[in-house]
């Protein structure tokens, strides 16, 4: 306040004893934290800096203003005006307000159909390729397992193993024998049961007699176990990619590993048996 009035002033901090317990002259004074005080000082000519107490006396209290003895009267509440009676509608007609309310309360089927189409159509477009790929592979498996010749069913089971490995990213080189392809799959996936299965397929396909239905079912059971082991050796994302992969489809159409050369050459079965056995195929 003094500075705002143009009077120089300062704040001073120091120690002094409690005024309720004055010290005698010559009595030592030990200052503690409770004896710290602050006060303002203003300079006077011939006196220097003079302390100015800024704490008012305790008896200098502001007296509250006397309350008015007159009690105000409570406000009088007037009765509300009665609502106006609605005009009677003509018989056989609906008021405009009721008509608008009915239209606003009605369900907007057009908006629902538009939103549904915007959601369903993209889902259908995304689902159709997935269904087609899965359906084609299921049909291919059924066709192989139900081939007319029993030996072709065994050969189809082995091609199912090759297709599973191809879709998982490990295609067998074109022209490789079953045993060579089994070695590639066993090395890549650590599936040692692939090699005995390839030997069984060779012995069945190139054997002198046709395999029985029981032998074919046992072979396909081992094929399913092997394919399941190959797929379980990779993570879930890789299994999904393999299920939707078209590698085996393209490989079969291009004459790749899914269609070995000895199945494409039109040799008679009995005439080729000795030759194929000697070649290890």
């Amino acid at each position: 306040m003094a500075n705002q009035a143009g009077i120089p002033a300062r704040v001073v901090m120091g120690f002094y004893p409690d005024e309720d317990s004055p010290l005698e002259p010559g009595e030592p004074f030990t200052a503690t934290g409770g004896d710290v005080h602050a006060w303002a000082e203003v300079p006077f000519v011939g006196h220097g800096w003079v302390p100015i107490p800024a704490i008012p006396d305790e008896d200098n209290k502001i007296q509250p203003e006397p309350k008015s003895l007159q009690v105000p009267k409570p406000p009088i509440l007037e009765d509300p005006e009665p609502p106006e009676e609605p005009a009677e509608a003509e018989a056989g007609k609906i008021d405009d307000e009721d008509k608008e309310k009915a239209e606003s309360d009605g369900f907007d089927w057009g908006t629902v159909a538009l939103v549904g189409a915007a959601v369903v159509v993209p889902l259908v477009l995304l689902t159709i390729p997935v269904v087609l790929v899965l359906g084609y592979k299921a049909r291919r498996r059924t066709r192989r397992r139900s081939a007319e010749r029993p030996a072709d069913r065994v050969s189809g089971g082995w091609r199912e193993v090759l297709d599973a490995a191809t879709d998982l990213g490990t295609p067998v080189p074109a022209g490789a024998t079953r045993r060579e392809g089994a070695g590639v799959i066993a090395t890549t996936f650590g599936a040692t049961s692939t090699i005995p299965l390839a030997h069984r397929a060779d012995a069945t396909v190139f054997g002198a007699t046709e395999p029985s239905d029981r032998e074919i079912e046992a072979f396909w059971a081992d094929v399913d176990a092997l394919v399941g082991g190959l797929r379980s050796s990779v993570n879930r994302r890789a299994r999904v990619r393999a299920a939707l992969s078209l590698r085996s489809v393209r490989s079969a159409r291009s004459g790749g590993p899914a269609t070995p050369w000895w199945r494409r050459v039109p040799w008679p079965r009995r005439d080729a048996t000795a030759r194929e056995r000697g070649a290890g195929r």
Side-chain angles (χ1 to χ4, degrees):
M1 292 173 62
N3 289 332
Q4 291 180 359
I7 302 174
R10 68 181 183 181
V11 177
V12 182
M13 296 183 65
F15 301 88
Y16 58 81
D18 191 0
E19 296 179 354
D20 296 336
S21 301
L23 299 176
E24 297 294 334
E27 182 180 354
F29 168 59
T30 301
T32 62
D35 299 322
V36 178
H37 300 279
W39 60 88
E41 292 184 352
V42 177
F44 283 85
V45 179
H47 297 279
W49 292 92
V50 179
I52 302 298
I55 303 176
D57 297 335
E58 293 183 359
D59 57 351
N60 186 16
K61 297 181 180 180
I62 300 176
Q63 298 294 332
E65 297 181 359
K67 297 182 180 179
S68 176
L69 298 178
Q70 185 178 2
V71 179
K73 296 181 180 180
I76 300 175
L77 299 178
E78 298 181 356
D79 295 336
E81 297 181 359
E84 297 180 359
E85 296 182 358
E88 295 182 358
E90 297 181 6
K93 295 184 180 180
I94 302 176
D95 292 340
D96 294 339
E97 295 181 358
D98 295 340
K99 186 176 180 180
E100 293 177 359
K101 184 177 181 181
E103 292 177 355
S104 61
D105 293 341
F107 200 77
D108 192 354
W109 289 103
T111 303
V112 173
L114 184 61
V115 174
V119 174
V120 173
V121 171
L123 291 178
V124 171
L125 294 178
L126 292 175
T127 305
I128 288 177
V130 175
V131 174
L132 291 178
V133 172
L134 297 179
Y136 173 80
K137 291 186 177 182
R139 182 175 176 272
R140 181 181 63 184
R141 172 187 170 87
T142 303
R143 187 173 61 251
R144 289 172 175 175
R145 193 163 185 173
S146 60
E148 183 178 357
R149 297 178 64 248
D152 290 340
R153 301 176 200 170
V154 176
S155 179
W158 178 251
R159 287 200 297 270
E160 196 73 16
V161 175
L162 296 181
D163 289 345
T166 301
D167 289 337
L168 289 171
T170 307
V172 177
T177 64
R178 291 190 181 93
R179 300 180 185 183
E180 291 172 348
V184 173
I185 297 174
T187 303
T188 304
F189 297 95
T192 56
S193 61
T194 311
I195 297 176
L197 190 66
H199 283 254
R200 287 173 56 190
D202 283 342
T204 303
V205 173
F206 303 128
T209 59
E210 295 287 354
S212 63
D213 293 340
R214 184 175 180 181
E215 292 175 344
I216 295 173
E217 291 298 326
F219 183 83
W220 270 92
D222 293 339
V223 168
D224 293 338
L226 176 58
V227 172
L230 297 180
R231 292 171 179 170
S232 62
S233 63
V234 298
N235 55 35
R236 184 176 181 181
R237 181 177 297 180
R239 290 196 298 270
V240 174
R241 287 200 301 264
L244 302 178
S245 175
L246 296 177
R247 293 191 185 98
S248 61
V249 179
R250 292 193 298 266
S251 178
R253 290 183 177 179
S254 61
T259 307
W261 66 272
W262 58 85
R263 300 300 302 163
R264 299 197 301 271
V265 176
W267 288 347
R269 177 178 175 79
R270 291 185 178 180
D271 296 343
T273 300
R275 187 188 311 173
E276 292 172 348
R277 283 179 177 175
R281 303 185 187 275

